[in-house]
Amino acid sequence: MVFGILSAAIQVGFGALLGFLAGGPIGLLIGAVVGLVVGAVFGWSVASAGVYASDARGIFLFVVDHTWSLLNTVVGAIYLTVHLVFGHSLDRPTSLGSGRVSVLEGVSPRYATTIGTVCAGSSSGIQRHEDVHIFQGRLLGPLYIPLVLANYVLFTIAPVWLLYHDHTNAPINRFTRYFEIGVYPHVWNEAIAYRIQGTPPR
């Protein structure tokens, strides 16, 4: 319960600060309201699923997620809120003491998606892959999302990955495959995660 309340309060403060910097007093109010909504959803999820254990590891992960990696946590909280609005469910047994909020349903039936500490649509067969993304966010903090987005943009408009892509086993023979088989598995965060666990789509 304490972790949930603290998380919500931190996200309200973060939203208020960003709002104030972007739009003065009115921005502060809007940012605080947005922070309250997503912070309350995330805080409730953290508390009800027991995401952070009360041991040293759990406390450490909570502190990292709400300081250095706060941007990732907030974006993940927004992502979680959208999932719950669409009727998706928390995976409480998988979330318990894991340091991540797991959601049973994913965005796509073919892929799990992890943003911040929120992992949707995963399974035991690919959870290590998704946990790599959580670790990457914790390691790089506020740089993580900009670096991932920059790599997606770069590899979309300048596909240097074509130089080392496996054209025989994973041909790029239609438009959708350019992104699904080409850009997506070659961006740095996915390439690292696939080396640790999983097989890139073919």
Side-chain angles (χ1 to χ4, degrees), residues 68-192:
W68 171 243
S69 192
L70 181 58
L71 177 62
N72 301 312
T73 300
V74 169
V75 175
I78 295 168
Y79 177 60
L80 173 65
T81 301
V82 172
H83 272 284
L84 297 182
V85 164
F86 279 91
H88 295 177
S89 308
L90 290 178
D91 183 351
R92 287 181 173 83
T94 303
S95 300
L96 182 63
S98 66
R100 84 175 94 79
V101 179
S102 295
V103 179
L104 286 169
E105 302 86 355
V107 175
S108 160
R110 294 190 60 199
Y111 298 104
T113 307
T114 297
I115 300 177
T117 59
V118 178
C119 179
S122 189
S123 66
S124 58
I126 57 168
Q127 191 58 62
R128 279 184 59 218
H129 175 108
E130 298 307 317
D131 286 344
V132 169
H133 296 317
I134 295 173
F135 175 77
Q136 290 166 339
R138 286 171 171 154
L139 181 66
L140 296 173
L143 304 176
Y144 176 67
I145 292 174
L147 286 173
V148 170
L149 292 176
N151 197 181
Y152 269 102
V153 171
L154 175 64
F155 276 13
T156 298
I157 61 176
V160 295
W161 49 267
L162 283 169
L163 298 173
Y164 52 88
H165 178 75
D166 183 357
H167 295 277
T168 303
N169 295 314
I172 308 295
N173 50 20
R174 62 181 184 273
F175 182 73
T176 54
R177 287 179 65 84
Y178 179 83
F179 294 98
E180 185 178 8
I181 311 300
V183 175
Y184 159 72
H186 290 99
V187 293
W188 69 269
N189 65 313
E190 292 296 345
I192 291 170

